[in-house]
Amino acid sequence: MSERQVALEVLRYNPETDREPRLQRYSVTCREEWVVLDALNHIKESVDPTLSYRWSCHMAVCGSCGMMINGEPKLACKSFLRDYEGVIRVEPLMHFPIERDLVTVIDDFMAKLARVKPYLIPKQAKPVGEGEYRQTPAELKKFKQFTLCINCMLCYAACPEYGIIPKFIGPAAISLAHRYNQDSRDGGRDQRQEEIAATEGVWECSFTGACSEVCPEHVDPAAALQQVKIKSTVDWYRKHLMPWMEE
Amino acid sequence: MAQSNKPIVWGPFAAGGTITAFLTPVLILLTLLAALGHAPDLFAYGRMHAFAGHWLAKAAIAGTVFLSLWSTAHRLRITCYDLGVRADTLVAVIVYAGALAGTAASVLYLTRI
Amino acid sequence: MSRNPYVREIPKFRWFFRHPRYLRYMAREFTCIFIGAYTLLLVAGLSSLSQGPAAYQGFLDWLASPASIVFHVLAFGFSLYHSVTWFNLTPKALPVQRGEEFVPDSVISGAHYAGWGLLSLVVLVLAGAF
């Protein structure tokens, strides 16, 4: 098993002592097949136990270890050291306040997810005794792609509009709303539109497409957002030009 | 949070983006050919005047001008914001007014043809 | 333990140099300047047409100027970039589900490209460009 010497430049920030962040260089011996997360774990275990960062599954399903690696939003557990040359710069996910070291403040994101009512709101209440909601494979396929989001926030780090306009509800939240709107069992679209079709909803999106490029699960949030824009636009013109069509 | 009225400006933007995607390149080719001395037959004064004189052509031209200018205006507005100009309402008024002015001018000229 | 989150500043307009994808986005947005300018050129043409043959000839003469030709070449390039980016993104906004599967993006884009080519050809023929 071969080894390699890797230099990492990691952003450090101690909220109790530091006025602003600084970069700290670590040089560690790593295994050839390691990912950046392995290097961080090695640093924390053997070199500097004060280094703070989030991680959990180490297999790209929990969404915890999102970081900026050489300026690109990536999951640390999915970033192979062999793909990098020279010093690897590791910073907290962009566009979020820094709590400590590589840990970001994600309160804004969590609040936005909750705002879109990410749960099934049935068209008509149906007691459990009446049986399950049935769904064809085609109906499932319609929204399946948007269920794959692991809430890793890489899309928020990549989105330039979220960087400029912090109130923008963001790609993951809108994709999540779209996931439920497209679900045949759901009837809550009108309620979600209050959040999604607002100015800080989908209308701050300029279809940069960076969100879909960095998404590790291929959710394609950019697609969800454009679909929401078109549906919302059709709705608006119907409502204002043909009000008699309202149910 | 109230639903936005953004669709008013976004609808024509999307239509304009589509029209310019399909039509603008070949239009540029036509005037480029004229510029290079290979003017298409349509560019003879008599033919062009007859073409633009037809009510259907006038409607199509006016519509194309409006949608093209509107989608330009909307994109300019977004780009200004992206580039750090935060006075969005002011920029919006300027660009959309410009698009409407260009459209009004084209309609005026068309009525005189 | 007291919280003291640090907020990093976003550079007002240099953010799009951070990665090629943002430069491509900016290039795409900038196509609107050339498309808008060309449309205004057409409006100027309408104006000259409405003023009679002499004015119209003046417009054609201006078209033949070096500045106009340079502008046309640039505008053509930018308008192509707009068309290509637009057609490539259309399938994302308008997915088509046939049965269980979605029509592949390449088919939807391809249909747009085909329609674009056909329309351009028809316009060229009808305008007597050949």
Side-chain angles (χ1 to χ4, degrees):
Chain A
M1 213 72 57
S2 46
E3 297 178 330
R4 48 183 294 164
Q5 200 65 19
V6 173
L8 287 159
E9 202 153 67
V10 185
L11 186 145
R12 303 300 311 277
Y13 174 67
N14 184 333
E16 293 177 322
T17 60
D18 295 345
R19 257 217 320 269
E20 52 180 38
R22 60 186 168 85
L23 288 169
Q24 181 161 356
R25 171 93 53 124
Y26 300 98
S27 187
V28 283
T29 310
C30 299
R31 301 276 275 261
E32 189 67 46
E33 70 274 15
W34 275 9
V35 290
V36 171
L37 179 59
D38 294 321
L40 290 175
N41 283 339
H42 179 59
I43 292 171
K44 192 169 174 75
E45 282 162 24
S46 321
V47 180
D48 182 355
T50 68
L51 180 60
S52 304
Y53 50 96
R54 287 196 182 100
W55 72 285
S56 183
C57 72
H58 198 303
M59 56 189 228
V61 294
C62 73
S64 305
C65 65
M67 303 172 191
M68 304 302 284
I69 297 177
N70 279 359
E72 178 78 343
K74 302 208 70 180
L75 295 179
C77 68
K78 215 176 165 184
S79 306
F80 289 85
L81 295 177
R82 60 173 176 256
D83 292 335
Y84 294 92
E85 270 175 24
V87 181
I88 304 177
R89 203 173 71 252
V90 184
E91 295 160 297
L93 223 44
M94 204 62 169
H95 305 154
F96 291 96
I98 307 177
E99 186 80 70
R100 182 193 196 95
D101 294 343
L102 298 169
V103 178
T104 52
V105 178
I106 62 173
D107 303 23
D108 182 52
F109 176 73
M110 301 306 288
K112 281 169 176 167
L113 282 188
R115 262 163 60 192
V116 305
K117 302 186 195 285
Y119 40 84
L120 279 176
I121 302 172
K123 299 183 190 63
Q124 267 170 323
K126 184 166 137 174
V128 175
E130 275 186 33
E132 64 277 292
Y133 290 95
R134 311 202 77 191
Q135 199 168 58
T136 67
E139 285 170 330
L140 171 62
K141 197 93 199 241
K142 195 162 178 224
F143 67 91
K144 175 105 190 275
Q145 176 190 344
F146 305 117
T147 64
L148 303 179
C149 175
I150 59 175
N151 296 348
C152 65
M153 292 168 273
L154 298 194
C155 53
Y156 284 70
C159 175
E161 305 303 327
Y162 180 61
I164 305 174
I165 308 162
K167 279 202 290 187
F168 174 36
I169 206 171
I174 299 174
S175 302
L176 189 57
H178 192 56
R179 170 256 176 275
Y180 285 98
N181 291 341
Q182 296 288 86
D183 193 326
S184 56
R185 301 167 291 177
D186 180 83
R189 180 164 177 271
D190 287 341
Q191 294 182 47
R192 296 190 192 96
Q193 281 296 91
E194 286 302 302
E195 293 290 335
I196 297 308
T199 306
E200 294 112 47
V202 75
W203 297 113
E204 297 294 7
C205 167
S206 64
F207 206 173
T208 311
C211 54
S212 291
E213 279 188 39
V214 302
C215 176
E217 302 301 304
H218 309 292
V219 173
D220 201 354
L225 269 67
Q226 306 324 304
Q227 290 167 36
V228 169
K229 278 186 196 170
I230 292 189
K231 285 192 204 295
S232 302
T233 300
V234 170
D235 278 355
W236 190 94
Y237 279 98
R238 256 206 213 128
K239 182 165 124 185
H240 286 85
L241 296 183
M242 299 192 287
W244 58 87
M245 298 275 283
E246 289 289 278
E247 280 149 43
Chain B
M1 206 159 306
Q3 293 195 34
S4 167
N5 285 320
K6 258 297 172 55
I8 305 179
V9 299
W10 194 84
F13 156 73
T18 307
I19 282 226
T20 53
F22 275 110
L23 209 48
T24 307
V26 72
L27 292 180
I28 297 179
L29 261 185
L30 285 178
T31 48
L32 180 58
L33 281 173
L36 295 175
H38 299 287
D41 300 339
L42 178 63
F43 276 60
Y45 177 80
R47 291 227 177 111
M48 185 64 84
H49 198 273
F51 167 70
H54 195 283
W55 68 268
L56 196 52
K58 286 189 188 187
I61 292 170
T64 303
V65 167
F66 167 62
L67 291 175
S68 305
L69 288 180
W70 190 271
S71 68
T72 293
H74 187 71
R75 254 192 175 157
L76 264 178
R77 174 192 179 181
I78 307 286
T79 306
C80 281
Y81 202 88
D82 286 347
L83 291 175
V85 179
R86 294 285 177 259
D88 182 54
T89 313
L90 178 64
V91 171
V93 167
I94 295 175
V95 295
Y96 294 138
L100 291 173
T103 307
S106 74
V107 168
L108 181 65
Y109 303 141
L110 282 168
T111 57
R112 291 181 184 161
I113 294 175
Chain C
M1 187 89 67
S2 54
R3 292 179 81 172
N4 181 23
Y6 184 85
V7 178
R8 287 164 286 183
E9 251 191 69
I10 311 291
K12 263 259 172 88
F13 64 89
R14 279 180 348 263
W15 56 264
F16 50 89
F17 287 111
R18 266 197 348 236
H19 191 281
R21 75 167 68 97
Y22 301 119
L23 280 171
R24 274 182 270 124
Y25 163 71
M26 268 300 158
R28 185 192 86 196
E29 297 299 285
F30 262 79
T31 62
C32 75
I33 295 184
F34 283 89
I35 293 176
Y38 179 74
T39 309
L40 291 176
L41 184 155
L42 288 184
V43 175
L46 279 179
S47 168
S48 74
L49 186 64
S50 74
Q51 289 171 53
Y56 181 68
Q57 189 56 46
F59 175 72
L60 290 183
D61 291 339
W62 180 82
L63 272 186
S65 71
S68 153
I69 294 180
V70 168
F71 170 73
H72 271 78
V73 173
L74 286 173
F76 188 65
F78 276 98
S79 75
L80 280 184
Y81 192 65
H82 165 66
S83 303
V84 165
T85 51
W86 195 267
F87 295 144
N88 287 346
L89 293 178
T90 302
K92 302 271 165 223
L94 298 169
V96 178
Q97 192 177 18
R98 284 271 167 273
E100 207 183 306
E101 293 306 320
F102 282 93
V103 175
D105 286 359
S106 51
V107 171
I108 299 183
S109 299
H112 280 76
Y113 281 113
W116 180 37
L118 193 62
L119 175 70
S120 301
L121 204 59
V122 165
V123 168
L124 285 172
V125 167
L126 287 181
F130 296 113

